[in-house]
Amino acid sequence: MNSLEFARQHTEQFIARRRDLHKHSEPGWLEYRTAAFAATVLTELGYDIKAGAEVLDLDARMGLPSEAVMKAAMERAIAEGADPEWVDIFGYGKTALVATMKFSDDGPTVAFRSDIDSNDVQESDSPEHMPAREGFSSIHDKAMHACGHDVHLTMILGLAEYLATNKDKLQGTVKLIIQPAEEGVRGAAAMEAAGVVDDVDIFFGTHIGIDKNLAGCLACSDPGFLATSKIDASFQGYSAHAGASPEQAKNAMLAACTAVINLQAIARHSKGISRVNVGTLEAGTGRNVTPDVASLKLEIRGETTEINDYMEQRCHTILEAAAAMHDCTVNITKAGSAPVVMNSDTLATEVQELANELGIFKRVDFSYSGGGSEDCAYFTRRVIERGGQATYMILGSDIKAPHHNPLFDIDEKDMIHGVALMGVLAEKYLKSK
């Protein structure tokens, strides 16, 4: 049985799995039920599992929730059926795992990566939204798989089952990288720093959806992802009575507002695209109290890592200067980051040939440039820098709304095609070097 026949035969199983993951959406670093489920399935299939602190540089994690939030999420995961032993391993922001199956010594190491976190989105309950209509909308408040990561994990687990079924026909080693906290580009850096791709010869990343115009199609590489940094800034001033003694105050809100205005005024770079956006600003404690606290969350992006570094340096200068202008202090924290995604043209060309031969896509493009950012970039860069090949593919689907929208959904048949494609790619490269 080839991978397409396998994927089609298991369609009902894969759809049920995807819908269960969708229903139990979990945000970054809180994916305890999701990670425990993946670990259980992969263990039963005979994969060697390394998990938690084994595959993370704990100091390189970014944007961790508070311990109280993490503890509550762990308890919820167990209440929803997660194995407590796995939850303990993944606990407190260690929801990463790598599943390895070695077929023989004579062959390359081929890796596939899936992200697993949800978005901070309240899912729609509209009857036009298929998950709501079919009863698998997220049961968690303000947590929704509005970017398709439930699909990504379903495809990786489908691939895992296919390879385990055909292990006697393969050579080399497969590594399945299950990564937390892609949203906000917070998770991959810590796994890359732990060395999880240092032995990888061939690496594949995949994203479903992206552009409705790609429905039913495949793009074999995506060089359009921008480098990015996510920055949190907390201003501290000094409060005073707004009517009786305003001159004694140090207004943190004014400092933050000064920063917001001037961040938008950063000169754009002559060498390519740059972006800056302040997404949230919170300040003050009461109507008649001069604000002594303010915080903002911002992001910057660049067409190259050089441009992103330029934007980041300018942000720091402006944040610090705005605080000084109002006699306040500011604490600046990097909450996430990613370089540009590197792709190997030779590998993408081979993927294009194999995908065309598979005959299930309306069109197979060599590349697609859609913007946005993706911390899988840490993996592709590391593999290519160490002499391997890597590509990041876009699996088109008839998305029902833009990514990160409460009405986002995919066409599940494209997920089945994704399993088939991954199976073909794995069989191609899991052979003698």
PDB file of all heavy atoms in Angstrom, residues 21 24-36 38 90 95-97 113-118 145 148-150 152-154 177-183:
ATOM      1  N   LEU A  21      -8.143  17.263  18.549  1.00  0.00           N
ATOM      2  CA  LEU A  21      -7.110  18.255  18.847  1.00  0.00           C
ATOM      3  C   LEU A  21      -7.661  19.670  18.744  1.00  0.00           C
ATOM      4  O   LEU A  21      -7.335  20.540  19.564  1.00  0.00           O
ATOM      5  CB  LEU A  21      -5.928  18.086  17.889  1.00  0.00           C
ATOM      6  CG  LEU A  21      -5.114  16.804  18.045  1.00  0.00           C
ATOM      7  CD1 LEU A  21      -4.167  16.636  16.860  1.00  0.00           C
ATOM      8  CD2 LEU A  21      -4.333  16.806  19.357  1.00  0.00           C
ATOM      9  N   HIS A  24      -9.704  20.650  21.769  1.00  0.00           N
ATOM     10  CA  HIS A  24      -8.913  20.856  22.989  1.00  0.00           C
ATOM     11  C   HIS A  24      -7.698  21.754  22.703  1.00  0.00           C
ATOM     12  O   HIS A  24      -6.570  21.444  23.063  1.00  0.00           O
ATOM     13  CB  HIS A  24      -8.473  19.513  23.565  1.00  0.00           C
ATOM     14  CG  HIS A  24      -9.619  18.632  23.967  1.00  0.00           C
ATOM     15  ND1 HIS A  24     -10.223  17.759  23.086  1.00  0.00           N
ATOM     16  CD2 HIS A  24     -10.282  18.511  25.137  1.00  0.00           C
ATOM     17  CE1 HIS A  24     -11.212  17.124  23.714  1.00  0.00           C
ATOM     18  NE2 HIS A  24     -11.261  17.559  24.956  1.00  0.00           N
ATOM     19  N   SER A  25      -7.956  22.867  22.039  1.00  0.00           N
ATOM     20  CA  SER A  25      -6.887  23.803  21.666  1.00  0.00           C
ATOM     21  C   SER A  25      -6.154  24.319  22.901  1.00  0.00           C
ATOM     22  O   SER A  25      -6.783  24.649  23.917  1.00  0.00           O
ATOM     23  CB  SER A  25      -7.484  24.991  20.909  1.00  0.00           C
ATOM     24  OG  SER A  25      -8.229  24.578  19.779  1.00  0.00           O
ATOM     25  N   GLU A  26      -4.815  24.404  22.782  1.00  0.00           N
ATOM     26  CA  GLU A  26      -3.990  24.869  23.901  1.00  0.00           C
ATOM     27  C   GLU A  26      -2.931  25.850  23.396  1.00  0.00           C
ATOM     28  O   GLU A  26      -2.220  25.562  22.435  1.00  0.00           O
ATOM     29  CB  GLU A  26      -3.293  23.686  24.578  1.00  0.00           C
ATOM     30  CG  GLU A  26      -4.274  22.685  25.207  1.00  0.00           C
ATOM     31  CD  GLU A  26      -3.573  21.431  25.699  1.00  0.00           C
ATOM     32  OE1 GLU A  26      -2.944  20.758  24.871  1.00  0.00           O
ATOM     33  OE2 GLU A  26      -3.653  21.130  26.900  1.00  0.00           O
ATOM     34  N   PRO A  27      -2.806  27.018  24.030  1.00  0.00           N
ATOM     35  CA  PRO A  27      -1.826  28.016  23.590  1.00  0.00           C
ATOM     36  C   PRO A  27      -0.386  27.594  23.876  1.00  0.00           C
ATOM     37  O   PRO A  27      -0.122  26.589  24.558  1.00  0.00           O
ATOM     38  CB  PRO A  27      -2.203  29.265  24.405  1.00  0.00           C
ATOM     39  CG  PRO A  27      -3.585  29.012  24.914  1.00  0.00           C
ATOM     40  CD  PRO A  27      -3.677  27.529  25.088  1.00  0.00           C
ATOM     41  N   GLY A  28       0.547  28.395  23.367  1.00  0.00           N
ATOM     42  CA  GLY A  28       1.969  28.103  23.471  1.00  0.00           C
ATOM     43  C   GLY A  28       2.467  27.894  24.880  1.00  0.00           C
ATOM     44  O   GLY A  28       2.131  28.647  25.783  1.00  0.00           O
ATOM     45  N   TRP A  29       3.292  26.877  25.058  1.00  0.00           N
ATOM     46  CA  TRP A  29       3.887  26.428  26.319  1.00  0.00           C
ATOM     47  C   TRP A  29       2.854  25.815  27.268  1.00  0.00           C
ATOM     48  O   TRP A  29       3.199  25.400  28.370  1.00  0.00           O
ATOM     49  CB  TRP A  29       4.630  27.558  27.039  1.00  0.00           C
ATOM     50  CG  TRP A  29       5.755  28.164  26.272  1.00  0.00           C
ATOM     51  CD1 TRP A  29       5.904  29.474  25.937  1.00  0.00           C
ATOM     52  CD2 TRP A  29       6.929  27.509  25.769  1.00  0.00           C
ATOM     53  NE1 TRP A  29       7.064  29.688  25.247  1.00  0.00           N
ATOM     54  CE2 TRP A  29       7.723  28.496  25.122  1.00  0.00           C
ATOM     55  CE3 TRP A  29       7.376  26.180  25.776  1.00  0.00           C
ATOM     56  CZ2 TRP A  29       8.935  28.189  24.504  1.00  0.00           C
ATOM     57  CZ3 TRP A  29       8.583  25.884  25.158  1.00  0.00           C
ATOM     58  CH2 TRP A  29       9.347  26.880  24.531  1.00  0.00           C
ATOM     59  N   LEU A  30       1.584  25.748  26.821  1.00  0.00           N
ATOM     60  CA  LEU A  30       0.522  25.155  27.643  1.00  0.00           C
ATOM     61  C   LEU A  30      -0.094  23.933  26.966  1.00  0.00           C
ATOM     62  O   LEU A  30      -1.152  23.461  27.372  1.00  0.00           O
ATOM     63  CB  LEU A  30      -0.581  26.189  27.900  1.00  0.00           C
ATOM     64  CG  LEU A  30      -0.160  27.515  28.528  1.00  0.00           C
ATOM     65  CD1 LEU A  30      -1.368  28.447  28.648  1.00  0.00           C
ATOM     66  CD2 LEU A  30       0.473  27.296  29.906  1.00  0.00           C
ATOM     67  N   GLU A  31       0.597  23.376  25.969  1.00  0.00           N
ATOM     68  CA  GLU A  31       0.032  22.298  25.155  1.00  0.00           C
ATOM     69  C   GLU A  31       0.215  20.938  25.824  1.00  0.00           C
ATOM     70  O   GLU A  31       0.701  19.978  25.222  1.00  0.00           O
ATOM     71  CB  GLU A  31       0.683  22.275  23.760  1.00  0.00           C
ATOM     72  CG  GLU A  31       0.760  23.632  23.067  1.00  0.00           C
ATOM     73  CD  GLU A  31       2.134  24.267  23.242  1.00  0.00           C
ATOM     74  OE1 GLU A  31       2.734  24.103  24.326  1.00  0.00           O
ATOM     75  OE2 GLU A  31       2.611  24.913  22.298  1.00  0.00           O
ATOM     76  N   TYR A  32      -0.202  20.813  27.066  1.00  0.00           N
ATOM     77  CA  TYR A  32       0.088  19.607  27.851  1.00  0.00           C
ATOM     78  C   TYR A  32      -0.724  18.406  27.357  1.00  0.00           C
ATOM     79  O   TYR A  32      -0.175  17.313  27.191  1.00  0.00           O
ATOM     80  CB  TYR A  32      -0.180  19.880  29.338  1.00  0.00           C
ATOM     81  CG  TYR A  32       0.640  21.027  29.846  1.00  0.00           C
ATOM     82  CD1 TYR A  32       0.045  22.229  30.228  1.00  0.00           C
ATOM     83  CD2 TYR A  32       2.037  20.943  29.902  1.00  0.00           C
ATOM     84  CE1 TYR A  32       0.802  23.285  30.672  1.00  0.00           C
ATOM     85  CE2 TYR A  32       2.802  22.006  30.336  1.00  0.00           C
ATOM     86  CZ  TYR A  32       2.180  23.182  30.719  1.00  0.00           C
ATOM     87  OH  TYR A  32       2.938  24.243  31.140  1.00  0.00           O
ATOM     88  N   ARG A  33      -2.006  18.598  27.126  1.00  0.00           N
ATOM     89  CA  ARG A  33      -2.816  17.482  26.614  1.00  0.00           C
ATOM     90  C   ARG A  33      -2.361  17.110  25.208  1.00  0.00           C
ATOM     91  O   ARG A  33      -2.238  15.926  24.880  1.00  0.00           O
ATOM     92  CB  ARG A  33      -4.296  17.859  26.613  1.00  0.00           C
ATOM     93  CG  ARG A  33      -5.211  16.712  26.163  1.00  0.00           C
ATOM     94  CD  ARG A  33      -6.665  17.176  26.039  1.00  0.00           C
ATOM     95  NE  ARG A  33      -7.560  16.077  25.723  1.00  0.00           N
ATOM     96  CZ  ARG A  33      -7.805  15.618  24.507  1.00  0.00           C
ATOM     97  NH1 ARG A  33      -7.182  16.136  23.461  1.00  0.00           N
ATOM     98  NH2 ARG A  33      -8.655  14.618  24.328  1.00  0.00           N
ATOM     99  N   THR A  34      -2.106  18.119  24.387  1.00  0.00           N
ATOM    100  CA  THR A  34      -1.694  17.877  23.003  1.00  0.00           C
ATOM    101  C   THR A  34      -0.389  17.107  22.944  1.00  0.00           C
ATOM    102  O   THR A  34      -0.261  16.113  22.220  1.00  0.00           O
ATOM    103  CB  THR A  34      -1.548  19.218  22.263  1.00  0.00           C
ATOM    104  OG1 THR A  34      -2.777  19.963  22.371  1.00  0.00           O
ATOM    105  CG2 THR A  34      -1.207  19.004  20.807  1.00  0.00           C
ATOM    106  N   ALA A  35       0.609  17.573  23.694  1.00  0.00           N
ATOM    107  CA  ALA A  35       1.913  16.921  23.688  1.00  0.00           C
ATOM    108  C   ALA A  35       1.834  15.514  24.272  1.00  0.00           C
ATOM    109  O   ALA A  35       2.474  14.575  23.767  1.00  0.00           O
ATOM    110  CB  ALA A  35       2.925  17.763  24.464  1.00  0.00           C
ATOM    111  N   ALA A  36       1.055  15.359  25.338  1.00  0.00           N
ATOM    112  CA  ALA A  36       0.904  14.032  25.952  1.00  0.00           C
ATOM    113  C   ALA A  36       0.227  13.067  24.977  1.00  0.00           C
ATOM    114  O   ALA A  36       0.601  11.884  24.894  1.00  0.00           O
ATOM    115  CB  ALA A  36       0.108  14.137  27.243  1.00  0.00           C
ATOM    116  N   ALA A  38       0.340  13.229  21.649  1.00  0.00           N
ATOM    117  CA  ALA A  38       1.324  12.889  20.619  1.00  0.00           C
ATOM    118  C   ALA A  38       2.338  11.880  21.135  1.00  0.00           C
ATOM    119  O   ALA A  38       2.685  10.912  20.443  1.00  0.00           O
ATOM    120  CB  ALA A  38       2.029  14.154  20.138  1.00  0.00           C
ATOM    121  N   PHE A  90       6.263  17.230  30.632  1.00  0.00           N
ATOM    122  CA  PHE A  90       6.081  18.445  29.831  1.00  0.00           C
ATOM    123  C   PHE A  90       5.792  19.678  30.683  1.00  0.00           C
ATOM    124  O   PHE A  90       5.718  20.793  30.154  1.00  0.00           O
ATOM    125  CB  PHE A  90       4.927  18.249  28.848  1.00  0.00           C
ATOM    126  CG  PHE A  90       5.188  17.219  27.784  1.00  0.00           C
ATOM    127  CD1 PHE A  90       4.332  16.132  27.620  1.00  0.00           C
ATOM    128  CD2 PHE A  90       6.273  17.331  26.942  1.00  0.00           C
ATOM    129  CE1 PHE A  90       4.551  15.188  26.628  1.00  0.00           C
ATOM    130  CE2 PHE A  90       6.512  16.381  25.947  1.00  0.00           C
ATOM    131  CZ  PHE A  90       5.655  15.316  25.792  1.00  0.00           C
ATOM    132  N   THR A  95       6.796  21.679  26.701  1.00  0.00           N
ATOM    133  CA  THR A  95       5.914  20.873  25.853  1.00  0.00           C
ATOM    134  C   THR A  95       6.530  20.602  24.475  1.00  0.00           C
ATOM    135  O   THR A  95       5.932  20.899  23.434  1.00  0.00           O
ATOM    136  CB  THR A  95       4.566  21.586  25.691  1.00  0.00           C
ATOM    137  OG1 THR A  95       4.811  22.993  25.427  1.00  0.00           O
ATOM    138  CG2 THR A  95       3.728  21.449  26.938  1.00  0.00           C
ATOM    139  N   ALA A  96       7.709  20.055  24.465  1.00  0.00           N
ATOM    140  CA  ALA A  96       8.404  19.720  23.216  1.00  0.00           C
ATOM    141  C   ALA A  96       8.786  18.248  23.236  1.00  0.00           C
ATOM    142  O   ALA A  96       9.078  17.688  24.299  1.00  0.00           O
ATOM    143  CB  ALA A  96       9.658  20.580  23.063  1.00  0.00           C
ATOM    144  N   LEU A  97       8.793  17.631  22.051  1.00  0.00           N
ATOM    145  CA  LEU A  97       9.262  16.249  21.980  1.00  0.00           C
ATOM    146  C   LEU A  97       9.821  15.961  20.601  1.00  0.00           C
ATOM    147  O   LEU A  97       9.471  16.621  19.611  1.00  0.00           O
ATOM    148  CB  LEU A  97       8.147  15.250  22.317  1.00  0.00           C
ATOM    149  CG  LEU A  97       6.965  15.126  21.363  1.00  0.00           C
ATOM    150  CD1 LEU A  97       6.940  13.738  20.749  1.00  0.00           C
ATOM    151  CD2 LEU A  97       5.665  15.391  22.082  1.00  0.00           C
ATOM    152  N   ARG A 113       8.777  18.500  10.793  1.00  0.00           N
ATOM    153  CA  ARG A 113       8.425  19.298  11.977  1.00  0.00           C
ATOM    154  C   ARG A 113       6.962  19.677  11.989  1.00  0.00           C
ATOM    155  O   ARG A 113       6.385  20.009  10.971  1.00  0.00           O
ATOM    156  CB  ARG A 113       9.295  20.544  12.017  1.00  0.00           C
ATOM    157  CG  ARG A 113       8.899  21.590  13.069  1.00  0.00           C
ATOM    158  CD  ARG A 113       8.027  22.675  12.467  1.00  0.00           C
ATOM    159  NE  ARG A 113       7.968  23.887  13.271  1.00  0.00           N
ATOM    160  CZ  ARG A 113       7.313  24.975  12.909  1.00  0.00           C
ATOM    161  NH1 ARG A 113       6.666  25.000  11.767  1.00  0.00           N
ATOM    162  NH2 ARG A 113       7.298  26.052  13.677  1.00  0.00           N
ATOM    163  N   SER A 114       6.338  19.622  13.166  1.00  0.00           N
ATOM    164  CA  SER A 114       4.978  20.111  13.362  1.00  0.00           C
ATOM    165  C   SER A 114       4.950  21.048  14.556  1.00  0.00           C
ATOM    166  O   SER A 114       5.538  20.749  15.606  1.00  0.00           O
ATOM    167  CB  SER A 114       4.009  18.952  13.621  1.00  0.00           C
ATOM    168  OG  SER A 114       2.747  19.438  14.074  1.00  0.00           O
ATOM    169  N   ASP A 115       4.279  22.183  14.418  1.00  0.00           N
ATOM    170  CA  ASP A 115       3.972  23.017  15.574  1.00  0.00           C
ATOM    171  C   ASP A 115       2.619  22.578  16.119  1.00  0.00           C
ATOM    172  O   ASP A 115       1.823  21.934  15.425  1.00  0.00           O
ATOM    173  CB  ASP A 115       3.982  24.504  15.211  1.00  0.00           C
ATOM    174  CG  ASP A 115       3.347  24.791  13.851  1.00  0.00           C
ATOM    175  OD1 ASP A 115       2.655  23.905  13.308  1.00  0.00           O
ATOM    176  OD2 ASP A 115       3.545  25.895  13.324  1.00  0.00           O
ATOM    177  N   ILE A 116       2.316  22.923  17.383  1.00  0.00           N
ATOM    178  CA  ILE A 116       1.134  22.326  18.022  1.00  0.00           C
ATOM    179  C   ILE A 116       0.276  23.315  18.795  1.00  0.00           C
ATOM    180  O   ILE A 116      -0.771  22.937  19.318  1.00  0.00           O
ATOM    181  CB  ILE A 116       1.547  21.180  18.979  1.00  0.00           C
ATOM    182  CG1 ILE A 116       2.497  21.678  20.074  1.00  0.00           C
ATOM    183  CG2 ILE A 116       2.163  20.022  18.206  1.00  0.00           C
ATOM    184  CD1 ILE A 116       2.806  20.629  21.149  1.00  0.00           C
ATOM    185  N   ASP A 117       0.676  24.583  18.878  1.00  0.00           N
ATOM    186  CA  ASP A 117      -0.057  25.514  19.730  1.00  0.00           C
ATOM    187  C   ASP A 117      -1.213  26.180  19.003  1.00  0.00           C
ATOM    188  O   ASP A 117      -1.257  26.263  17.783  1.00  0.00           O
ATOM    189  CB  ASP A 117       0.881  26.578  20.300  1.00  0.00           C
ATOM    190  CG  ASP A 117       1.640  27.342  19.222  1.00  0.00           C
ATOM    191  OD1 ASP A 117       2.042  26.728  18.217  1.00  0.00           O
ATOM    192  OD2 ASP A 117       1.857  28.561  19.392  1.00  0.00           O
ATOM    193  N   SER A 118      -2.158  26.694  19.798  1.00  0.00           N
ATOM    194  CA  SER A 118      -3.311  27.405  19.259  1.00  0.00           C
ATOM    195  C   SER A 118      -3.077  28.914  19.350  1.00  0.00           C
ATOM    196  O   SER A 118      -2.067  29.380  19.876  1.00  0.00           O
ATOM    197  CB  SER A 118      -4.570  27.028  20.045  1.00  0.00           C
ATOM    198  OG  SER A 118      -4.489  27.515  21.381  1.00  0.00           O
ATOM    199  N   HIS A 145      -7.537  26.776  17.414  1.00  0.00           N
ATOM    200  CA  HIS A 145      -6.610  26.434  16.336  1.00  0.00           C
ATOM    201  C   HIS A 145      -7.044  27.200  15.079  1.00  0.00           C
ATOM    202  O   HIS A 145      -7.641  26.643  14.160  1.00  0.00           O
ATOM    203  CB  HIS A 145      -6.591  24.920  16.095  1.00  0.00           C
ATOM    204  CG  HIS A 145      -5.644  24.199  16.990  1.00  0.00           C
ATOM    205  ND1 HIS A 145      -4.281  24.454  16.984  1.00  0.00           N
ATOM    206  CD2 HIS A 145      -5.851  23.241  17.932  1.00  0.00           C
ATOM    207  CE1 HIS A 145      -3.689  23.677  17.881  1.00  0.00           C
ATOM    208  NE2 HIS A 145      -4.610  22.932  18.470  1.00  0.00           N
ATOM    209  N   GLY A 148      -4.244  26.244  12.000  1.00  0.00           N
ATOM    210  CA  GLY A 148      -4.066  24.927  11.405  1.00  0.00           C
ATOM    211  C   GLY A 148      -3.049  24.027  12.056  1.00  0.00           C
ATOM    212  O   GLY A 148      -2.702  22.978  11.496  1.00  0.00           O
ATOM    213  N   HIS A 149      -2.581  24.356  13.262  1.00  0.00           N
ATOM    214  CA  HIS A 149      -1.567  23.517  13.885  1.00  0.00           C
ATOM    215  C   HIS A 149      -2.138  22.174  14.325  1.00  0.00           C
ATOM    216  O   HIS A 149      -1.385  21.200  14.467  1.00  0.00           O
ATOM    217  CB  HIS A 149      -0.932  24.244  15.075  1.00  0.00           C
ATOM    218  CG  HIS A 149      -0.214  25.499  14.697  1.00  0.00           C
ATOM    219  ND1 HIS A 149       0.467  26.272  15.615  1.00  0.00           N
ATOM    220  CD2 HIS A 149      -0.052  26.120  13.497  1.00  0.00           C
ATOM    221  CE1 HIS A 149       0.997  27.324  14.993  1.00  0.00           C
ATOM    222  NE2 HIS A 149       0.685  27.245  13.706  1.00  0.00           N
ATOM    223  N   ASP A 150      -3.445  22.104  14.548  1.00  0.00           N
ATOM    224  CA  ASP A 150      -4.083  20.814  14.799  1.00  0.00           C
ATOM    225  C   ASP A 150      -3.938  19.898  13.585  1.00  0.00           C
ATOM    226  O   ASP A 150      -3.715  18.693  13.711  1.00  0.00           O
ATOM    227  CB  ASP A 150      -5.559  21.005  15.161  1.00  0.00           C
ATOM    228  CG  ASP A 150      -6.323  21.864  14.155  1.00  0.00           C
ATOM    229  OD1 ASP A 150      -5.695  22.667  13.430  1.00  0.00           O
ATOM    230  OD2 ASP A 150      -7.563  21.749  14.098  1.00  0.00           O
ATOM    231  N   HIS A 152      -1.457  20.188  11.336  1.00  0.00           N
ATOM    232  CA  HIS A 152      -0.039  19.847  11.210  1.00  0.00           C
ATOM    233  C   HIS A 152       0.303  18.625  12.048  1.00  0.00           C
ATOM    234  O   HIS A 152       1.002  17.710  11.584  1.00  0.00           O
ATOM    235  CB  HIS A 152       0.823  21.031  11.651  1.00  0.00           C
ATOM    236  CG  HIS A 152       0.640  22.258  10.814  1.00  0.00           C
ATOM    237  ND1 HIS A 152       1.201  23.478  11.144  1.00  0.00           N
ATOM    238  CD2 HIS A 152      -0.032  22.463   9.655  1.00  0.00           C
ATOM    239  CE1 HIS A 152       0.869  24.373  10.227  1.00  0.00           C
ATOM    240  NE2 HIS A 152       0.119  23.780   9.312  1.00  0.00           N
ATOM    241  N   LEU A 153      -0.165  18.611  13.296  1.00  0.00           N
ATOM    242  CA  LEU A 153       0.142  17.471  14.158  1.00  0.00           C
ATOM    243  C   LEU A 153      -0.537  16.206  13.651  1.00  0.00           C
ATOM    244  O   LEU A 153       0.068  15.123  13.675  1.00  0.00           O
ATOM    245  CB  LEU A 153      -0.280  17.764  15.602  1.00  0.00           C
ATOM    246  CG  LEU A 153       0.004  16.641  16.605  1.00  0.00           C
ATOM    247  CD1 LEU A 153       1.483  16.248  16.608  1.00  0.00           C
ATOM    248  CD2 LEU A 153      -0.448  17.028  18.008  1.00  0.00           C
ATOM    249  N   THR A 154      -1.760  16.320  13.173  1.00  0.00           N
ATOM    250  CA  THR A 154      -2.465  15.151  12.628  1.00  0.00           C
ATOM    251  C   THR A 154      -1.685  14.557  11.460  1.00  0.00           C
ATOM    252  O   THR A 154      -1.548  13.328  11.344  1.00  0.00           O
ATOM    253  CB  THR A 154      -3.876  15.546  12.176  1.00  0.00           C
ATOM    254  OG1 THR A 154      -4.607  16.066  13.301  1.00  0.00           O
ATOM    255  CG2 THR A 154      -4.619  14.349  11.613  1.00  0.00           C
ATOM    256  N   ILE A 177       9.733  16.171  14.783  1.00  0.00           N
ATOM    257  CA  ILE A 177       9.969  17.253  15.741  1.00  0.00           C
ATOM    258  C   ILE A 177       8.632  17.911  16.058  1.00  0.00           C
ATOM    259  O   ILE A 177       7.997  18.517  15.188  1.00  0.00           O
ATOM    260  CB  ILE A 177      10.960  18.275  15.164  1.00  0.00           C
ATOM    261  CG1 ILE A 177      12.310  17.590  14.912  1.00  0.00           C
ATOM    262  CG2 ILE A 177      11.115  19.469  16.100  1.00  0.00           C
ATOM    263  CD1 ILE A 177      13.282  18.429  14.104  1.00  0.00           C
ATOM    264  N   ILE A 178       8.194  17.776  17.299  1.00  0.00           N
ATOM    265  CA  ILE A 178       6.914  18.325  17.752  1.00  0.00           C
ATOM    266  C   ILE A 178       7.228  19.565  18.582  1.00  0.00           C
ATOM    267  O   ILE A 178       7.724  19.465  19.710  1.00  0.00           O
ATOM    268  CB  ILE A 178       6.128  17.293  18.581  1.00  0.00           C
ATOM    269  CG1 ILE A 178       6.108  15.921  17.879  1.00  0.00           C
ATOM    270  CG2 ILE A 178       4.735  17.814  18.868  1.00  0.00           C
ATOM    271  CD1 ILE A 178       5.451  15.909  16.532  1.00  0.00           C
ATOM    272  N   GLN A 179       6.931  20.736  18.014  1.00  0.00           N
ATOM    273  CA  GLN A 179       7.399  22.005  18.582  1.00  0.00           C
ATOM    274  C   GLN A 179       6.273  22.828  19.198  1.00  0.00           C
ATOM    275  O   GLN A 179       5.254  23.071  18.561  1.00  0.00           O
ATOM    276  CB  GLN A 179       8.067  22.833  17.487  1.00  0.00           C
ATOM    277  CG  GLN A 179       8.605  24.170  17.972  1.00  0.00           C
ATOM    278  CD  GLN A 179       8.447  25.282  16.976  1.00  0.00           C
ATOM    279  OE1 GLN A 179       8.846  25.135  15.813  1.00  0.00           O
ATOM    280  NE2 GLN A 179       7.870  26.406  17.390  1.00  0.00           N
ATOM    281  N   PRO A 180       6.457  23.300  20.414  1.00  0.00           N
ATOM    282  CA  PRO A 180       5.472  24.197  21.031  1.00  0.00           C
ATOM    283  C   PRO A 180       5.683  25.655  20.615  1.00  0.00           C
ATOM    284  O   PRO A 180       6.704  26.015  20.024  1.00  0.00           O
ATOM    285  CB  PRO A 180       5.782  24.038  22.525  1.00  0.00           C
ATOM    286  CG  PRO A 180       7.261  23.794  22.572  1.00  0.00           C
ATOM    287  CD  PRO A 180       7.568  22.977  21.334  1.00  0.00           C
ATOM    288  N   ALA A 181       4.699  26.469  20.925  1.00  0.00           N
ATOM    289  CA  ALA A 181       4.827  27.934  20.952  1.00  0.00           C
ATOM    290  C   ALA A 181       5.355  28.548  19.662  1.00  0.00           C
ATOM    291  O   ALA A 181       6.233  29.400  19.688  1.00  0.00           O
ATOM    292  CB  ALA A 181       5.706  28.346  22.136  1.00  0.00           C
ATOM    293  N   GLU A 182       4.774  28.134  18.521  1.00  0.00           N
ATOM    294  CA  GLU A 182       5.141  28.821  17.281  1.00  0.00           C
ATOM    295  C   GLU A 182       4.523  30.207  17.225  1.00  0.00           C
ATOM    296  O   GLU A 182       5.144  31.155  16.744  1.00  0.00           O
ATOM    297  CB  GLU A 182       4.705  27.999  16.064  1.00  0.00           C
ATOM    298  CG  GLU A 182       5.209  28.541  14.731  1.00  0.00           C
ATOM    299  CD  GLU A 182       4.438  29.721  14.190  1.00  0.00           C
ATOM    300  OE1 GLU A 182       3.201  29.801  14.407  1.00  0.00           O
ATOM    301  OE2 GLU A 182       5.057  30.595  13.531  1.00  0.00           O
ATOM    302  N   GLU A 183       3.274  30.324  17.699  1.00  0.00           N
ATOM    303  CA  GLU A 183       2.628  31.633  17.699  1.00  0.00           C
ATOM    304  C   GLU A 183       3.428  32.578  18.606  1.00  0.00           C
ATOM    305  O   GLU A 183       3.706  32.267  19.760  1.00  0.00           O
ATOM    306  CB  GLU A 183       1.182  31.521  18.194  1.00  0.00           C
ATOM    307  CG  GLU A 183       0.299  30.637  17.352  1.00  0.00           C
ATOM    308  CD  GLU A 183       0.122  31.137  15.923  1.00  0.00           C
ATOM    309  OE1 GLU A 183       0.412  32.330  15.666  1.00  0.00           O
ATOM    310  OE2 GLU A 183      -0.298  30.343  15.068  1.00  0.00           O
TER     311      GLU A 183
END
